[in-house]
């Protein structure tokens, strides 16, 4: 009798918790998302696999729980003979005629920022633009970032999977002297990884190459990765080639590439330069590219970066404002989809990081236009050699609105000369390899069901991936706008992206209530 009572109790608990016998807990996030399902089927989809190969299909894709279990090629020529009864079915079937399925994108560097911007604003814009995994800086504190990552993993919140960035020695009790002793790196790393670290920033260690090398080895030995924003104030000690040689996993942004090719050891800083003056710092971060030895940069430097096996993480989108600030400040989605808190943080203001566009001259935009072109050439040469280009945005800074910036980053990688299939590979399979997550980044059986379903081919036009789609013409020549990414699927959870964007628009509208839209950027253009 006691055994019967125990079994009855277990059954009631399972029923109450919404857990099926066959799989994972199925949850409903209002009208925004639902899943994972015991058996989800995506029918008749063209597939962009993620490894750089061309689209193939159509396929019927079977997902059980959070895993892809089958990919059944559907040959229209034999469809009548096979019969509809032979098509797979499940708890939910998504008809994907005319749609393209590709892996969810992995954003390896981004920011969540702070209140008053709702954290859900970032989650929803990212998901609606195809990001299923992201590496956030701990803007709201590392403990909070780790808690949010766990809640996402458990489907307690609707958000991409997260691997928060840890600083060297974070959440340990070691003092500075201990942390800066290269011999202690294995012990520090072991303590950090015991507490959940995976991505470790080494941006503060470039002043000491021996320490940097010891840390990168210790982190790698523990199964993690290192990410390096090489600050200009230490490029005289550690440049990009040095970082690659010392075993850094990925180099963020653009810093220290041009510096690796200079005809001297340091760039030509003006005599009144102050690194803490962001206006000057970003001005000269662009200008240094005009000092680069182009032949050495695109030859010797590209060769060395490839040979040492470092991964490039360009994040070009966050710097695009530097070459045309008026364009960035007047992007068409700013009114409806850019949160007022972001607008406030983006406006010229020395009090905020990344808000340095005061006294920003035409010469500065020239420097950055030149930098973008040469930087793009370096990315192209590195990729041509077989170098590993990955994907990130650094968005929520410098007029880079989350989600929208994810698609723009794809376009800016395409601008370097990389093929669109290589660009999509960078955002999916390459970034999964960088993150050391073997079951992400491909559409194939056995892999995690992190997928996006796009209305129209991203290979034909990357703009098809924006939430607002792209303007196309039909067979009669009539214009229409495609539907963007219809569904993002994260671990088998099917997300209704149009409803996400409605929720984003609501948050943005509320953020702007009672706030004058006239500011130092818009004042000359306000209609009285």
């Amino acid at each position: 009798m006691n055994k019967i009572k125990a079994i009855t109790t277990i059954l009631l608990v399972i029923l109450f918790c919404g857990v099926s016998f066959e799989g994972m807990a199925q949850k409903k996030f209002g009208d925004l998302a639902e899943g994972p399902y015991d058996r989800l089927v995506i029918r008749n989809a063209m597939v962009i696999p993620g490894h750089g190969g061309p689209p193939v299909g159509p396929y019927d894709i079977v997902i059980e729980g959070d895993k892809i279990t089958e990919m059944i090629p559907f040959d229209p020529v034999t469809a009548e003979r096979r019969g509809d009864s032979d098509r797979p079915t499940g708890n939910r079937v998504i008809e994907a005629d005319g749609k393209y399925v590709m892996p969810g994108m992995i954003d390896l560097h981004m920011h969540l920022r702070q209140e008053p911007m709702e954290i859900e604003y970032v989650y929803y814009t990212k998901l609606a633009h195809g990001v299923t995994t992201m590496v956030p800086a701990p803007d709201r504190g590392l403990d909070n970032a780790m808690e949010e990552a766990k809640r996402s993993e458990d489907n307690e919140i609707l958000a991409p999977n997260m691997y928060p960035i840890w600083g060297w020695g974070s959440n340990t009790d070691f003092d500075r002297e201990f942390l800066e002793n290269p011999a202690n790196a294995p012990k520090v790393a072991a303590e950090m990884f015991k507490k959940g670290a995976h991505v470790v920033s080494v941006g503060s260690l470039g002043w000491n190459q021996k320490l940097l090398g010891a840390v990168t080895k210790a982190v790698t030995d523990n199964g993690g990765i290192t990410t390096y924003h090489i600050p200009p104030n230490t490029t005289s000690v550690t440049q990009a080639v040095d970082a690659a040689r010392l075993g850094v996993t990925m180099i963020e942004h653009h810093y220290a590439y041009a510096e690796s090719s200079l005809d001297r050891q340091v760039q030509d800083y003006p005599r009144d330069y102050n690194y803490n003056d962001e206006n000057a710092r970003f001005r000269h971060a662009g200008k240094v590219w005009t000092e680069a030895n182009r032949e050495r940069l695109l030859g010797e430097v590209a060769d060395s970066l490839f040979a040492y096996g470092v991964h490039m993480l360009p994040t070009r989108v966050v710097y695009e404002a530097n070459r045309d600030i008026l364009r960035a400040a007047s992007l068409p989605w700013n009114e409806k989809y850019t949160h007022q808190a972001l607008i406030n943080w983006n406006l010229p203001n020395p009090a905020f990081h990344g808000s340095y566009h005061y006294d920003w001259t035409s010469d500065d935009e020239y420097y950055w236009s030149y930098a973008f072109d040469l930087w793009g050439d370096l990315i192209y040469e590195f990729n041509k050699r077989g170098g590993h280009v990955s994907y990130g945005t650094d968005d929520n800074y410098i007029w880079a609105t989350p989600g929208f910036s994810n698609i723009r980053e794809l376009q800016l990688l395409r601008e370097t000369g990389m093929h669109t299939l290589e660009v999509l590979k960078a955002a999916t399979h390459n970034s999964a390899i960088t993150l050391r997550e073997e079951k992400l980044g491909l559409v194939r059986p056995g892999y995690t069901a992190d997928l996006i379903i796009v209305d129209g081919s991203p290979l034909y036009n990357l703009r098809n991936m924006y939430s607002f789609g792209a303007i196309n013409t039909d067979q009669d020549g009539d214009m229409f706008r495609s539907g963007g990414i219809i569904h993002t699927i994260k671990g088998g959870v099917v997300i209704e992206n149009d409803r996400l964007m409605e929720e984003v628009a609501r948050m943005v509208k509320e953020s702007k209530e009672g706030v004058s839209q006239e500011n130092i950027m818009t004042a000359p253009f306000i209609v009285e």
Side-chain angles (χ1 to χ4, degrees):
M1 181 64 69
N2 288 337
K3 182 182 286 189
I4 293 174
K5 283 185 176 181
I7 292 173
T8 302
T9 301
I10 291 171
L11 290 174
L12 288 172
V13 170
I14 289 174
L15 180 62
F16 179 77
C17 293
V19 180
S20 73
F21 289 108
E22 298 181 18
M24 307 169 63
Q26 182 175 324
K27 297 189 177 181
K28 190 172 177 63
F29 300 85
D31 63 353
L32 301 179
E34 188 170 0
Y37 298 87
D38 285 340
R39 188 173 169 90
L40 168 67
V41 177
I42 306 170
R43 281 185 177 173
N44 212 38
M46 293 296 294
V47 172
I48 298 175
H51 52 47
V56 61
Y59 277 96
D60 291 347
I61 303 170
V62 179
I63 298 166
E64 296 178 355
D66 64 349
K67 291 288 188 295
I68 302 169
T69 56
E70 291 184 88
M71 292 179 62
I72 305 166
F74 181 70
D75 181 0
V77 175
T78 61
E80 185 174 352
R81 177 174 57 80
R82 293 168 59 183
D84 287 341
S85 61
D86 294 332
R87 304 292 291 277
T89 189
N91 307 94
R92 179 170 179 179
V93 176
I94 298 174
E95 300 294 347
D97 299 67
K99 308 297 191 296
Y100 285 72
V101 171
M102 60 174 277
M105 296 192 294
I106 301 170
D107 189 334
L108 291 174
H109 186 83
M110 49 76 61
H111 289 266
L112 295 168
R113 302 298 296 259
Q114 299 88 8
E115 294 180 349
M117 193 173 76
E118 301 92 333
I119 201 167
E120 292 82 7
Y121 168 77
V122 184
Y123 295 161
Y124 293 177
T125 51
K126 288 286 186 182
L127 286 169
H129 287 91
V131 176
T132 51
T133 299
M134 61 191 191
V135 175
D139 300 304
R140 303 181 184 218
L142 182 56
D143 289 342
N144 175 266
M146 295 301 291
E147 289 170 7
E148 288 291 291
K150 184 66 167 64
R151 294 177 69 204
S152 177
E153 180 184 4
D154 293 341
N155 283 333
E156 294 178 8
I157 56 174
L158 189 57
N161 294 302
M162 286 176 274
Y163 295 76
I165 298 173
W166 289 52
W168 180 239
S170 293
N171 279 10
T172 69
D173 295 325
F174 303 118
D175 61 23
R176 179 185 59 79
E177 184 177 359
F178 190 92
L179 292 172
E180 292 181 355
N181 184 339
N184 297 329
K187 185 173 182 179
V188 176
E191 181 69 14
M192 292 171 63
F193 278 78
K194 185 171 68 176
K195 296 180 177 180
H198 184 75
V199 181
V200 178
S201 172
V202 293
S204 64
L205 308 180
W207 63 276
N208 185 326
Q209 286 197 14
K210 185 176 180 181
L211 175 60
L212 178 61
V215 169
T216 60
K217 183 179 186 306
V219 169
T220 302
D221 288 347
N222 276 272
I225 68 170
T226 50
T227 184
Y228 195 12
H229 170 153
I230 308 178
N233 63 336
T234 60
T235 53
S236 59
V237 179
T238 304
Q239 298 168 354
V241 172
D242 299 315
R245 172 177 51 81
L246 292 167
V248 167
T249 308
M250 61 181 180
I251 297 176
E252 303 169 5
H253 319 312
H254 53 84
Y255 302 103
Y257 292 126
E259 291 88 332
S260 294
S261 74
L262 296 176
D263 293 329
R264 61 173 78 86
Q265 293 297 308
V266 297
Q267 72 181 90
D268 186 20
Y269 291 111
R271 285 177 290 178
D272 61 350
Y273 180 85
N274 177 2
Y275 176 75
N276 287 337
D277 179 344
E278 285 209 345
N279 181 263
R281 186 196 314 169
F282 281 90
R283 170 177 296 118
H284 289 283
K287 191 175 183 181
V288 68
W289 289 84
T290 67
E291 301 177 43
N293 182 318
R294 183 183 182 88
E295 181 178 357
R296 183 180 300 137
L297 179 69
L298 303 183
E300 177 185 328
V301 171
D303 287 338
S304 297
L305 293 170
F306 167 64
Y308 288 127
V310 76
H311 299 190
M312 274 190 181
L313 188 67
T315 72
R316 283 163 70 80
V317 67
V318 79
Y319 300 101
E320 189 177 18
N322 294 343
R323 64 179 183 177
D324 190 347
I325 182 58
L326 289 180
R327 173 192 178 278
S330 59
L331 286 166
W333 50 76
N334 283 343
E335 181 176 354
K336 185 175 181 180
Y337 293 118
T338 301
H339 200 284
Q340 185 61 39
L342 273 185
I343 298 289
N344 295 342
W345 291 326
N346 288 333
L347 292 171
N349 188 339
F352 297 136
H353 173 53
S355 303
Y356 49 82
H357 287 106
Y358 42 89
D359 191 27
W360 196 254
T361 70
S362 299
D363 282 353
D364 297 325
E365 293 195 347
Y366 161 72
Y367 299 145
W368 274 97
S369 294
Y370 184 93
F372 253 74
D373 290 343
L374 186 51
W375 180 21
D377 290 343
L378 175 62
I379 294 169
Y380 177 83
E381 290 294 332
F382 176 73
N383 178 71
K384 183 174 73 175
R385 287 160 169 77
H388 193 105
V389 180
S390 296
Y391 173 78
T393 59
D394 199 13
D395 58 16
N396 278 307
Y397 275 101
I398 319 178
W399 297 98
T401 300
F404 298 91
S405 293
N406 285 95
I407 311 308
R408 183 59 182 161
E409 179 68 14
L410 299 176
Q411 293 177 295
L412 291 172
L413 286 177
R414 179 69 181 95
E415 187 181 283
T416 70
M418 291 174 63
H419 192 282
T420 304
L421 285 171
E422 294 177 311
V423 169
L424 296 175
K425 179 183 178 183
T428 56
H429 187 47
N430 276 10
S431 289
I433 292 171
T434 301
L435 196 57
R436 301 182 74 175
E437 285 293 348
E438 295 181 354
K439 293 302 181 181
L440 297 180
L442 290 179
V443 184
R444 64 173 294 111
Y447 276 67
T448 300
D450 285 358
L451 305 169
I452 59 180
I453 303 176
V454 189
D455 182 24
S457 173
L459 182 61
Y460 182 76
N461 189 353
L462 289 168
R463 286 194 183 94
N464 282 326
M465 297 175 70
Y466 278 113
S467 60
F468 50 81
I471 298 173
N472 300 301
T473 54
D474 61 20
Q475 292 180 343
D476 298 324
D478 295 327
M479 286 186 287
F480 70 95
R481 189 176 284 278
S482 62
I485 301 173
I486 305 298
H487 296 293
T488 297
I489 300 175
K490 175 223 165 183
V493 175
V494 180
I495 300 166
E496 309 296 333
N497 288 356
D498 58 342
R499 292 173 188 163
L500 280 189
M501 292 309 294
E502 289 172 5
E503 186 65 12
V504 167
R506 181 196 63 77
M507 285 186 271
V508 170
K509 183 177 180 180
E510 287 186 2
S511 77
K512 296 184 177 184
E513 288 178 357
V515 178
S516 172
Q517 296 308 295
E518 182 173 340
N519 55 56
I520 197 166
M521 295 289 290
T522 63
F525 313 110
I526 297 292
V527 177
E528 298 291 342

